Protein backbone atom coordinates (compact mmCIF):
# COMPACT_ATOMS: atom_id res chain seq x y z
CA UNK A 1 0.00 0.00 0.00
CA UNK A 2 1.86 3.01 -1.25
CA UNK A 3 -0.44 5.14 0.57
CA UNK A 4 -2.82 7.79 -0.17
CA UNK A 5 -2.89 9.00 3.41
CA UNK A 6 -2.85 12.57 4.64
CA UNK A 7 0.32 13.70 6.37
CA UNK A 8 1.38 16.66 8.48
CA UNK A 9 2.17 18.44 5.20
CA UNK A 10 -1.50 18.37 4.19
CA UNK A 11 -2.99 20.18 7.19
CA UNK A 12 -2.90 23.52 8.96
CA UNK A 13 -2.36 23.18 12.71
CA UNK A 14 -2.02 26.89 13.61
CA UNK A 15 -3.59 27.43 17.03
CA UNK A 16 -4.86 23.85 17.17
CA UNK A 17 -4.30 21.26 19.88
CA UNK A 18 -2.35 18.47 18.16
CA UNK A 19 -1.99 15.08 19.83
CA UNK A 20 1.09 13.41 18.33
CA UNK A 21 1.57 9.69 19.00
CA UNK A 22 5.30 9.01 18.92
CA UNK A 23 7.44 5.97 19.59
CA UNK A 24 9.40 6.98 22.68
CA UNK A 25 9.81 3.36 23.75
CA UNK A 26 13.52 3.84 24.52
CA UNK A 27 15.76 1.56 26.59
CA UNK A 28 16.39 2.91 30.11
CA UNK A 29 18.98 1.98 32.71
CA UNK A 30 18.61 3.47 36.19
CA UNK A 31 16.39 6.16 34.75
CA UNK A 32 18.91 7.10 32.02
CA UNK A 33 18.17 6.71 28.33
CA UNK A 34 20.77 4.35 26.83
CA UNK A 35 19.79 4.74 23.17
CA UNK A 36 18.08 7.92 22.01
CA UNK A 37 17.65 7.02 18.33
CA UNK A 38 13.89 6.97 18.63
CA UNK A 39 13.80 10.44 20.17
CA UNK A 40 16.02 11.86 17.44
CA UNK A 41 13.89 10.16 14.79
CA UNK A 42 10.75 11.83 16.15
CA UNK A 43 12.15 15.39 15.97
CA UNK A 44 11.29 16.33 12.36
CA UNK A 45 7.55 15.87 12.90
CA UNK A 46 7.61 17.62 16.27
CA UNK A 47 9.61 20.56 14.86
CA UNK A 48 7.22 20.88 11.94
CA UNK A 49 4.20 21.03 14.28
CA UNK A 50 5.92 23.65 16.47
CA UNK A 51 6.95 25.73 13.45
CA UNK A 52 3.38 25.69 12.16
CA UNK A 53 2.08 27.07 15.47
CA UNK A 54 0.38 23.96 16.82
CA UNK A 55 -0.09 23.26 20.53
CA UNK A 56 1.87 20.05 20.54
CA UNK A 57 0.78 17.30 22.95
CA UNK A 58 3.12 14.31 22.71
CA UNK A 59 2.25 10.80 23.86
CA UNK A 60 3.82 7.34 23.73
CA UNK A 61 3.95 4.01 25.49
CA UNK A 62 7.11 2.84 27.25
CA UNK A 63 7.65 -0.89 27.76
CA UNK A 64 5.06 -3.23 29.21
CA UNK A 65 3.15 -2.09 32.28
CA UNK A 66 1.99 -5.05 34.35
CA UNK A 67 2.51 -4.12 38.00
CA UNK A 68 2.15 -1.03 40.16
CA UNK A 69 5.93 -0.96 40.43
CA UNK A 70 6.17 -0.60 36.63
CA UNK A 71 4.41 2.74 37.07
CA UNK A 72 7.43 3.96 39.03
CA UNK A 73 10.09 2.74 36.63
CA UNK A 74 8.37 3.17 33.27
CA UNK A 75 7.63 6.86 33.52
CA UNK A 76 8.34 9.08 30.50
CA UNK A 77 9.94 11.76 32.73
CA UNK A 78 13.49 11.11 31.38
CA UNK A 79 12.14 11.45 27.83
CA UNK A 80 10.68 14.91 28.55
CA UNK A 81 14.03 16.00 29.96
CA UNK A 82 16.03 14.77 26.97
CA UNK A 83 13.52 16.06 24.41
CA UNK A 84 13.78 19.49 26.01
CA UNK A 85 17.52 19.42 25.35
CA UNK A 86 17.18 18.05 21.82
CA UNK A 87 14.54 20.59 20.80
CA UNK A 88 16.11 23.51 22.64
CA UNK A 89 12.70 24.37 24.04
CA UNK A 90 10.79 23.20 27.07
CA UNK A 91 8.85 19.96 26.79
CA UNK A 92 6.61 20.21 29.82
CA UNK A 93 5.95 16.84 31.42
CA UNK A 94 2.43 16.52 32.84
CA UNK A 95 2.50 13.22 34.69
CA UNK A 96 -0.73 11.57 35.66
CA UNK A 97 -1.39 7.92 36.47
CA UNK A 98 -4.61 8.43 34.49
CA UNK A 99 -2.55 9.90 31.60
CA UNK A 100 -5.39 12.39 30.99
CA UNK A 101 -7.07 14.02 34.01
CA UNK A 102 -8.16 17.51 35.09
CA UNK A 103 -4.58 18.67 35.74
CA UNK A 104 -3.59 17.60 32.24
CA UNK A 105 -6.66 19.30 30.77
CA UNK A 106 -5.76 22.52 32.60
CA UNK A 107 -2.17 22.29 31.30
CA UNK A 108 -3.48 21.88 27.75
CA UNK A 109 -5.87 24.84 28.20
CA UNK A 110 -2.91 26.99 29.25
CA UNK A 111 -0.81 26.14 26.17
CA UNK A 112 0.24 28.80 23.70
CA UNK A 113 0.89 28.20 20.01
CA UNK A 114 4.19 26.34 19.60
CA UNK A 115 4.24 24.99 23.18
CA UNK A 116 5.02 21.32 23.74
CA UNK A 117 3.86 19.00 26.52
CA UNK A 118 4.38 15.28 27.05
CA UNK A 119 1.79 12.99 28.63
CA UNK A 120 2.67 10.04 30.87
CA UNK A 121 3.17 6.48 29.50
CA UNK A 122 -0.11 5.60 27.76
CA UNK A 123 0.09 2.05 29.09
CA UNK A 124 -0.48 3.35 32.62
CA UNK A 125 -4.11 3.13 31.52
CA UNK A 126 -5.09 -0.54 31.40
CA UNK A 127 -7.55 0.07 28.53
CA UNK A 128 -4.77 1.31 26.24
CA UNK A 129 -3.85 -2.08 24.78
CA UNK A 130 -7.53 -3.15 24.59
CA UNK A 131 -8.50 -0.07 22.61
CA UNK A 132 -11.05 0.75 25.35
CA UNK A 133 -13.40 3.60 24.56
CA UNK A 134 -13.05 5.61 27.78
CA UNK A 135 -9.32 6.27 27.32
CA UNK A 136 -9.71 7.00 23.59
CA UNK A 137 -12.39 9.58 24.50
CA UNK A 138 -10.13 11.12 27.14
CA UNK A 139 -7.36 11.51 24.57
CA UNK A 140 -9.77 12.91 21.97
CA UNK A 141 -11.08 15.44 24.52
CA UNK A 142 -7.70 17.23 24.66
CA UNK A 143 -7.04 17.54 20.92
CA UNK A 144 -8.40 18.87 17.64
CA UNK A 145 -5.95 17.01 15.40
CA UNK A 146 -4.29 13.60 15.75
CA UNK A 147 -0.90 12.74 14.25
CA UNK A 148 0.29 9.14 14.24
CA UNK A 149 4.07 8.92 13.94
CA UNK A 150 4.60 5.59 15.74
CA UNK A 151 5.27 2.93 13.10
CA UNK A 152 6.49 0.37 15.65
CA UNK A 153 2.96 0.00 17.06
CA UNK A 154 1.08 0.45 13.77
CA UNK A 155 0.20 -3.27 13.65
CA UNK A 156 -1.71 -2.95 16.95
CA UNK A 157 -5.05 -1.24 17.50
CA UNK A 158 -4.62 0.60 20.78
CA UNK A 159 -6.35 3.74 22.14
CA UNK A 160 -3.45 6.12 21.57
CA UNK A 161 -2.74 5.12 17.97
CA UNK A 162 -6.10 3.94 16.60
CA UNK A 163 -9.01 4.52 19.02
CA UNK A 164 -8.42 8.26 19.31
CA UNK A 165 -8.07 8.65 15.51
CA UNK A 166 -11.68 7.59 15.04
CA UNK A 167 -12.91 10.28 17.44
CA UNK A 168 -11.30 13.35 15.87
CA UNK A 169 -12.05 15.02 12.53
CA UNK A 170 -8.45 15.25 11.40
CA UNK A 171 -6.05 12.31 11.72
CA UNK A 172 -2.82 12.22 9.69
CA UNK A 173 0.56 10.49 9.63
CA UNK A 174 3.86 12.11 10.67
CA UNK A 175 7.11 12.08 8.68
CA UNK A 176 8.51 8.89 10.24
CA UNK A 177 5.37 6.95 9.47
CA UNK A 178 5.28 8.47 5.97
CA UNK A 179 8.84 7.32 5.34
CA UNK A 180 8.06 3.74 6.37
CA UNK A 181 4.97 3.69 4.17
CA UNK A 182 6.85 5.14 1.20
CA UNK A 183 9.77 2.75 1.40
CA UNK A 184 8.06 -0.50 2.38
CA UNK A 185 4.94 0.26 0.34
CA UNK A 186 6.81 1.13 -2.83
CA UNK A 187 9.20 -1.78 -2.49
CA UNK A 188 6.45 -4.35 -2.18
CA UNK A 189 3.65 -2.87 -4.29
CA UNK A 190 5.59 -0.99 -6.92
CA UNK A 191 9.11 -2.45 -7.06
CA UNK A 192 11.67 -1.54 -9.68
CA UNK A 193 12.69 -4.97 -10.97
CA UNK A 194 14.48 -7.27 -10.48
CA UNK A 195 13.06 -7.44 -6.95
CA UNK A 196 14.95 -9.80 -4.62
CA UNK A 197 13.49 -10.65 -1.22
CA UNK A 198 15.70 -12.26 1.42
CA UNK A 199 14.17 -14.01 4.40
CA UNK A 200 15.92 -15.58 7.36
CA UNK A 201 15.47 -15.94 11.07
CA UNK A 202 14.51 -18.78 13.28
CA UNK A 203 11.20 -20.30 12.28
CA UNK A 204 9.14 -20.87 9.15
CA UNK A 205 6.00 -20.67 11.30
CA UNK A 206 6.65 -17.00 12.15
CA UNK A 207 6.89 -16.01 8.50
CA UNK A 208 4.29 -18.13 6.68
CA UNK A 209 2.39 -15.20 5.20
CA UNK A 210 5.54 -13.20 4.49
CA UNK A 211 6.98 -16.06 2.43
CA UNK A 212 3.76 -16.53 0.51
CA UNK A 213 3.11 -12.81 -0.12
CA UNK A 214 6.69 -11.96 -1.11
CA UNK A 215 6.85 -14.94 -3.45
CA UNK A 216 4.00 -13.39 -5.39
CA UNK A 217 5.57 -9.92 -5.47
CA UNK A 218 9.30 -10.60 -5.98
CA UNK A 219 11.36 -12.11 -8.80
CA UNK A 220 13.75 -14.05 -6.55
CA UNK A 221 13.14 -15.24 -3.01
CA UNK A 222 16.21 -16.18 -0.97
CA UNK A 223 15.83 -18.25 2.19
CA UNK A 224 18.47 -18.52 4.92
CA UNK A 225 18.68 -18.82 8.69
CA UNK A 226 17.08 -21.49 10.84
CA UNK A 227 14.04 -21.66 8.60
CA UNK A 228 16.06 -22.87 5.61
CA UNK A 229 16.49 -26.33 7.20
CA UNK A 230 12.75 -27.02 7.11
CA UNK A 231 12.86 -26.25 3.37
CA UNK A 232 15.90 -28.51 2.95
CA UNK A 233 14.15 -31.31 4.85
CA UNK A 234 11.13 -30.79 2.60
CA UNK A 235 13.49 -31.40 -0.35
CA UNK A 236 14.30 -34.76 1.22
CA UNK A 237 17.71 -33.82 2.66
CA UNK A 238 19.14 -35.00 5.97
CA UNK A 239 19.43 -31.90 8.21
CA UNK A 240 20.89 -33.46 11.35
CA UNK A 241 20.04 -31.69 14.58
CA UNK A 242 19.31 -28.36 12.85
CA UNK A 243 16.28 -26.27 13.72
CA UNK A 244 13.18 -27.69 12.07
CA UNK A 245 9.43 -27.01 11.99
CA UNK A 246 8.17 -30.50 11.21
CA UNK A 247 4.57 -29.31 10.97
CA UNK A 248 5.58 -26.90 8.19
CA UNK A 249 7.25 -29.35 5.83
CA UNK A 250 4.15 -29.60 3.64
CA UNK A 251 3.92 -25.81 3.64
CA UNK A 252 7.51 -25.57 2.38
CA UNK A 253 6.72 -28.07 -0.39
CA UNK A 254 3.72 -25.95 -1.32
CA UNK A 255 5.90 -22.81 -1.48
CA UNK A 256 8.50 -24.54 -3.67
CA UNK A 257 5.71 -25.65 -6.02
CA UNK A 258 4.22 -22.15 -5.95
CA UNK A 259 7.59 -20.63 -6.93
CA UNK A 260 7.85 -23.03 -9.83
CA UNK A 261 4.34 -22.39 -11.10
CA UNK A 262 4.82 -18.60 -10.84
CA UNK A 263 8.19 -18.84 -12.59
CA UNK A 264 9.98 -17.31 -9.57
CA UNK A 265 13.45 -18.24 -8.38
CA UNK A 266 13.49 -19.69 -4.87
CA UNK A 267 17.05 -20.03 -3.57
CA UNK A 268 17.99 -22.32 -0.67
CA UNK A 269 21.41 -22.86 0.95
CA UNK A 270 23.80 -25.11 -0.99
CA UNK A 271 26.13 -25.48 1.99
CA UNK A 272 25.95 -24.89 5.71
CA UNK A 273 28.17 -24.30 8.75
CA UNK A 274 27.60 -26.97 11.39
CA UNK A 275 28.63 -27.72 14.95
CA UNK A 276 28.42 -30.74 17.19
CA UNK A 277 26.61 -29.10 20.06
CA UNK A 278 25.83 -25.60 21.15
CA UNK A 279 28.95 -24.34 22.92
CA UNK A 280 29.11 -23.28 26.50
CA UNK A 281 29.83 -20.38 26.85
CA UNK A 282 27.76 -19.65 23.78
CA UNK A 283 30.30 -17.23 22.24
CA UNK A 284 33.31 -19.54 22.69
CA UNK A 285 35.56 -18.56 19.74
CA UNK A 286 37.35 -21.94 19.80
CA UNK A 287 34.20 -23.88 18.97
CA UNK A 288 34.85 -26.28 16.10
CA UNK A 289 32.79 -25.51 13.03
CA UNK A 290 32.57 -27.56 9.82
CA UNK A 291 31.08 -26.76 6.43
CA UNK A 292 28.96 -29.36 4.64
CA UNK A 293 27.13 -29.29 1.33
CA UNK A 294 23.41 -29.03 1.90
CA UNK A 295 22.80 -32.55 0.60
CA UNK A 296 25.55 -34.07 2.77
CA UNK A 297 24.67 -32.93 6.28
CA UNK A 298 25.57 -35.53 8.91
CA UNK A 299 22.80 -36.71 11.22
CA UNK A 300 24.62 -35.77 14.42
CA UNK A 301 25.40 -32.09 13.69
CA UNK A 302 23.52 -28.83 13.85
CA UNK A 303 23.44 -26.06 11.21
CA UNK A 304 24.09 -22.55 12.49
CA UNK A 305 24.86 -20.47 9.41
CA UNK A 306 24.87 -20.55 5.63
CA UNK A 307 28.21 -21.70 4.15
CA UNK A 308 30.67 -19.82 1.87
CA UNK A 309 29.24 -21.20 -1.40
CA UNK A 310 25.80 -20.04 -0.33
CA UNK A 311 27.10 -16.57 0.54
CA UNK A 312 28.50 -16.38 -2.98
CA UNK A 313 25.29 -17.67 -4.54
CA UNK A 314 23.15 -15.20 -2.60
CA UNK A 315 25.53 -12.27 -3.21
CA UNK A 316 25.42 -13.04 -6.94
CA UNK A 317 21.64 -13.18 -6.94
CA UNK A 318 21.53 -9.75 -5.30
CA UNK A 319 24.01 -8.09 -7.69
CA UNK A 320 21.57 -7.17 -10.45
CA UNK A 321 18.68 -6.33 -8.12
CA UNK A 322 17.01 -2.93 -8.27
CA UNK A 323 14.89 -3.58 -5.18
CA UNK A 324 15.94 -5.66 -2.17
CA UNK A 325 13.91 -6.34 0.95
CA UNK A 326 15.71 -8.24 3.69
CA UNK A 327 14.18 -9.63 6.87
CA UNK A 328 15.86 -12.10 9.22
CA UNK A 329 19.48 -13.14 9.82
CA UNK A 330 21.14 -15.92 7.79
CA UNK A 331 22.50 -17.65 10.89
CA UNK A 332 22.96 -17.34 14.64
CA UNK A 333 24.52 -13.92 13.99
CA UNK A 334 24.76 -13.05 17.70
CA UNK A 335 27.80 -15.38 17.80
CA UNK A 336 30.83 -14.25 15.74
CA UNK A 337 31.41 -17.82 14.49
CA UNK A 338 27.99 -17.84 12.84
CA UNK A 339 27.74 -14.22 11.75
CA UNK A 340 29.58 -14.65 8.40
CA UNK A 341 26.45 -15.46 6.40
CA UNK A 342 24.52 -12.49 7.74
CA UNK A 343 27.48 -10.15 7.25
CA UNK A 344 28.08 -11.52 3.73
CA UNK A 345 24.50 -10.94 2.62
CA UNK A 346 24.39 -7.56 4.38
CA UNK A 347 27.57 -6.55 2.57
CA UNK A 348 26.24 -7.65 -0.82
CA UNK A 349 23.10 -5.56 -0.37
CA UNK A 350 25.03 -2.59 1.02
CA UNK A 351 27.31 -2.55 -2.04
CA UNK A 352 24.47 -2.04 -4.49
CA UNK A 353 24.58 1.50 -5.80
CA UNK A 354 21.53 1.89 -7.88
CA UNK A 355 18.95 -0.06 -5.90
CA UNK A 356 16.24 0.53 -3.34
CA UNK A 357 17.50 -1.50 -0.37
CA UNK A 358 15.35 -2.06 2.66
CA UNK A 359 15.92 -3.85 5.93
CA UNK A 360 12.64 -4.90 7.48
CA UNK A 361 13.18 -4.23 11.16
CA UNK A 362 13.82 -6.56 14.10
CA UNK A 363 16.94 -8.71 14.22
CA UNK A 364 18.14 -7.90 10.71
CA UNK A 365 17.98 -4.17 11.46
CA UNK A 366 19.96 -4.81 14.66
CA UNK A 367 22.48 -6.88 12.67
CA UNK A 368 22.89 -4.25 9.92
CA UNK A 369 23.54 -1.56 12.52
CA UNK A 370 25.81 -3.78 14.66
CA UNK A 371 27.97 -4.68 11.65
CA UNK A 372 28.39 -1.02 10.65
CA UNK A 373 26.00 -0.82 7.68
CA UNK A 374 23.62 1.72 9.18
CA UNK A 375 24.03 4.29 6.41
CA UNK A 376 24.42 1.83 3.57
CA UNK A 377 20.76 1.01 3.06
CA UNK A 378 18.03 3.13 1.51
CA UNK A 379 15.90 2.42 4.56
CA UNK A 380 16.13 0.46 7.81
CA UNK A 381 12.66 0.02 9.18
CA UNK A 382 12.08 0.99 12.81
CA UNK A 383 9.31 -1.54 13.37
CA UNK A 384 9.96 -5.27 13.74
CA UNK A 385 6.45 -6.71 14.06
CA UNK A 386 4.89 -3.86 12.08
CA UNK A 387 7.23 -4.22 9.09
CA UNK A 388 6.73 -7.99 9.06
CA UNK A 389 2.94 -7.57 8.97
CA UNK A 390 3.39 -4.98 6.24
CA UNK A 391 5.44 -7.48 4.22
CA UNK A 392 2.64 -10.01 4.75
CA UNK A 393 0.42 -7.63 2.82
CA UNK A 394 -1.76 -6.87 5.84
CA UNK A 395 -3.48 -3.56 6.38
CA UNK A 396 -1.99 -2.02 9.50
CA UNK A 397 -4.64 -0.51 11.78
CA UNK A 398 -2.36 2.40 12.80
CA UNK A 399 -2.17 3.47 9.15
CA UNK A 400 -5.68 2.55 8.05
CA UNK A 401 -7.20 4.79 10.75
CA UNK A 402 -5.81 8.09 9.43
CA UNK A 403 -7.57 10.24 6.83
CA UNK A 404 -7.23 9.45 3.13
CA UNK A 405 -5.94 12.20 0.84
P1 LIG B 1 13.63 -14.08 13.84
O1 LIG B 1 13.22 -13.40 15.09
O2 LIG B 1 12.67 -15.09 13.35
O3 LIG B 1 14.08 -13.11 12.76
O4 LIG B 1 14.89 -14.95 14.22
C1 LIG B 1 16.09 -14.39 14.64
C2 LIG B 1 16.85 -15.44 15.36
O5 LIG B 1 17.06 -16.55 14.53
C3 LIG B 1 18.21 -14.97 15.80
O6 LIG B 1 18.25 -14.90 17.19
C4 LIG B 1 19.15 -16.05 15.27
O7 LIG B 1 20.11 -16.45 16.21
C5 LIG B 1 18.21 -17.20 14.97
N1 LIG B 1 18.77 -18.10 13.96
C6 LIG B 1 19.23 -17.79 12.74
N2 LIG B 1 19.73 -18.87 12.13
C7 LIG B 1 19.59 -19.91 12.97
C8 LIG B 1 19.94 -21.30 12.93
N3 LIG B 1 20.55 -21.83 11.87
N4 LIG B 1 19.65 -22.06 14.01
C9 LIG B 1 19.06 -21.52 15.08
N5 LIG B 1 18.70 -20.23 15.19
C10 LIG B 1 18.96 -19.42 14.16
Amino acid sequence: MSLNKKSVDDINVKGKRVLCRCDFNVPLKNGEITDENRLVAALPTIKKLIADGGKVILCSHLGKVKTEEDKQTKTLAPVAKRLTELLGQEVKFVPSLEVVDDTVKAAVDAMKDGDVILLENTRFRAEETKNGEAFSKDLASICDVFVNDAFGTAHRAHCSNVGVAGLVDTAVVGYLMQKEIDFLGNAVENPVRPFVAILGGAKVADKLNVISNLLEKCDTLIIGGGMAYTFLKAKGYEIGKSLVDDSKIDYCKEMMAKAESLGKKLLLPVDTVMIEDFPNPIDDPSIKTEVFDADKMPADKEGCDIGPKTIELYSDAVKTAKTVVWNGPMGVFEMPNFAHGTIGVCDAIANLHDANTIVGGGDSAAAAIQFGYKNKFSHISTGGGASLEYLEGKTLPGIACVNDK
Side-chain angles (χ1 to χ4, degrees):
M1 38 183 187
S2 178
L3 287 190
N4 213 13
K5 290 289 180 187
K6 275 195 182 157
S7 83
V8 283
D9 283 333
D10 299 313
I11 55 168
N12 178 1
V13 297
K14 173 85 184 139
K16 298 205 173 121
R17 300 168 303 164
V18 186
L19 179 70
C20 183
R21 173 54 158 104
C22 299
D23 179 4
F24 294 148
N25 187 23
V26 289
L28 288 168
K29 202 169 175 193
N30 304 323
E32 293 292 323
I33 298 164
T34 56
D35 177 351
E36 64 183 29
N37 273 328
R38 286 183 168 160
L39 305 190
V40 174
L43 296 177
T45 301
I46 301 173
K47 284 182 177 167
K48 157 82 176 161
L49 296 171
I50 296 170
D52 288 356
K55 297 170 180 171
V56 186
I57 306 154
L58 304 173
C59 71
S60 172
H61 80 284
L62 176 63
K64 289 194 170 122
V65 178
K66 288 187 180 147
T67 62
E68 285 306 304
E69 202 203 330
D70 284 340
K71 295 188 179 175
Q72 307 288 322
T73 54
K74 295 188 176 159
T75 170
L76 281 169
V79 169
K81 186 166 162 258
R82 186 65 189 128
L83 275 179
T84 297
E85 292 161 2
L86 290 169
L87 282 170
Q89 116 167 40
E90 189 192 10
V91 174
K92 187 173 175 197
F93 187 47
V94 280
S96 160
L97 290 179
E98 294 298 304
V99 186
V100 179
D101 64 6
D102 288 344
T103 338
V104 172
K105 288 182 184 172
V108 171
D109 285 344
M111 289 176 87
K112 298 193 197 67
D113 296 358
D115 278 355
V116 185
I117 67 173
L118 172 64
L119 306 182
E120 185 51 286
N121 184 350
T122 51
R123 291 201 182 158
F124 282 12
R125 283 284 286 267
E127 314 105 281
E128 160 74 334
T129 53
K130 299 179 192 82
N131 200 7
E133 202 180 8
F135 184 38
S136 298
K137 280 186 172 165
D138 280 350
L139 289 167
S141 76
I142 55 165
C143 69
D144 308 302
V145 172
F146 174 68
V147 176
N148 193 3
D149 209 18
F151 182 71
T153 48
H155 58 314
R156 310 251 182 258
H158 293 170
C159 297
S160 67
N161 71 332
V162 171
V164 60
L167 300 173
V168 295
D169 291 336
T170 307
V172 302
V173 294
Y175 290 134
L176 250 190
M177 192 79 131
Q178 184 72 55
K179 192 170 170 228
E180 295 277 3
I181 295 170
D182 286 349
F183 274 102
L184 286 170
N186 273 333
V188 178
E189 299 306 332
N190 227 344
V192 182
R193 295 185 183 277
F195 171 20
V196 177
I198 306 173
L199 290 176
K203 291 197 201 147
V204 177
D206 294 340
K207 299 199 178 148
L208 295 178
N209 296 323
V210 187
I211 297 169
S212 178
N213 188 44
L214 286 182
L215 201 47
E216 283 165 24
K217 307 277 161 82
C218 72
D219 301 296
T220 301
L221 179 64
I222 291 176
I223 306 262
M227 62 192 234
Y229 300 96
T230 305
F231 276 91
L232 293 173
K233 187 163 179 182
K235 273 182 84 167
Y237 292 175
E238 168 67 57
I239 58 161
K241 295 190 290 183
S242 309
L243 201 64
V244 66
D245 255 335
D246 274 318
S247 66
K248 295 293 173 274
I249 287 180
D250 284 344
Y251 175 84
C252 291
K253 287 182 183 162
E254 232 176 80
M255 288 302 111
M256 291 190 280
K258 182 170 169 168
E260 190 152 345
S261 72
L262 292 174
K264 307 289 173 85
K265 261 194 220 158
L266 175 65
L267 298 183
L268 297 172
V270 291
D271 61 351
T272 174
V273 179
M274 302 189 90
I275 52 169
E276 209 119 314
D277 268 311
F278 251 81
N280 188 12
I282 202 152
D283 55 355
D284 178 359
S286 66
I287 172 83
K288 191 168 162 256
T289 62
E290 281 177 278
V291 177
F292 293 94
D293 283 343
D295 57 353
K296 294 192 184 62
M297 283 184 255
D300 60 344
K301 294 200 164 50
E302 177 170 354
C304 290
D305 196 8
I306 55 174
K309 283 191 244 173
T310 309
I311 297 178
E312 212 179 311
L313 174 75
Y314 289 3
S315 301
D316 255 7
V318 163
K319 257 182 203 146
T320 51
K322 289 279 177 266
T323 303
V324 181
V325 172
W326 170 38
N327 185 291
M330 297 290 101
V332 187
F333 76 102
E334 297 92 337
M335 300 163 65
N337 279 326
F338 313 120
H340 302 293
T342 303
I343 295 173
V345 165
C346 194
D347 195 64
I349 308 171
N351 278 316
L352 297 176
H353 295 299
D354 188 22
N356 191 17
T357 55
I358 291 149
V359 186
D363 268 326
S364 20
I369 295 167
Q370 179 189 327
F371 299 135
Y373 292 94
K374 189 173 176 197
N375 300 316
K376 300 271 185 158
F377 289 89
S378 312
H379 181 62
I380 298 185
S381 176
T382 52
S387 60
L388 216 49
E389 289 200 18
Y390 209 123
L391 297 179
E392 285 178 13
K394 277 193 189 156
T395 302
L396 306 190
I399 298 173
C401 69
V402 310
N403 304 151
D404 291 331
K405 264 193 186 164

